[in-house]
Amino acid sequence: GETLPEIAFEKAGIIKPCVPVIVGESNPETDSVFERKVLYTNLPEPSFMGNRNAIMSLLTYADKVEPTLWPEHEDILAHMDLQGAYQRKNLRTALAALDVLAGGSHGLIPETWMTRSLQNAIILTAKRTGFRGRWEKVSDKPLVICDIGHNEHGLRHNFAQLARMKDAGSKLIIVYGSVAHKDVDSVLHLMPED
């Protein structure tokens, strides 16, 4: 998709009947897309019998709730192996998802397990799925960081973080790749001048 509602519509395609949905960030342009998808996906379900409020209780916007472990988020962030600045938003979404999965009963998922898993995301994810590259530091000398950010929104965050951590006079090399259908021109103007 080219617009936020088009992108939200594509992402909403994963929504299934009777399955809770966690959306990381609410947005006036996209909220109605997710709400319609949740509603229309669940209207035929006998367990809801047309109860709109019950259906909409399946939808959680992470930025509108305070997850159980949110008071500890600064400590979790400080110890996470994923250090991208955007991880604050991702952490809130992950913690909101854990609350939904635990059904309000964190006895099912011990807090120490949750925080340890969040703090070791690179190791655990790479080990289980092979997925890598979310502001992942590959080397200190030279400093090499890999990130799968590929669109204007994601790269705006990446380049801002890069600017904050770059030493004056240090050489910067960026390797950027994209699939053919992406609008590369919308990204090129974000590249640091040096």
Side-chain angles (χ1 to χ4, degrees), residues 101-179:
L101 287 170
S105 173
H106 279 286
L108 300 175
I109 306 173
E111 288 185 14
T112 54
W113 177 87
M114 286 189 274
T115 54
R116 200 169 336 133
S117 296
L118 290 164
Q119 290 170 346
N120 296 293
I122 291 174
I123 295 166
L124 295 172
T125 304
K127 184 176 176 181
R128 291 192 173 100
T129 68
F131 180 77
R132 309 276 308 260
R134 291 301 290 181
W135 203 265
E136 183 178 349
K137 186 171 20 168
V138 178
S139 167
D140 283 309
K141 291 192 185 260
L143 178 60
V144 177
I145 297 171
C146 295
D147 194 278
I148 62 168
H150 58 278
N151 59 27
E152 185 175 1
H153 180 76
L155 288 173
R156 190 176 303 280
H157 290 284
N158 285 357
F159 292 147
Q161 183 169 354
L162 195 58
R164 287 190 301 272
M165 63 186 290
K166 186 176 176 291
D167 294 330
S170 63
K171 187 174 183 179
L172 175 65
I173 298 171
I174 295 175
V175 177
Y176 174 76
S178 177
V179 294

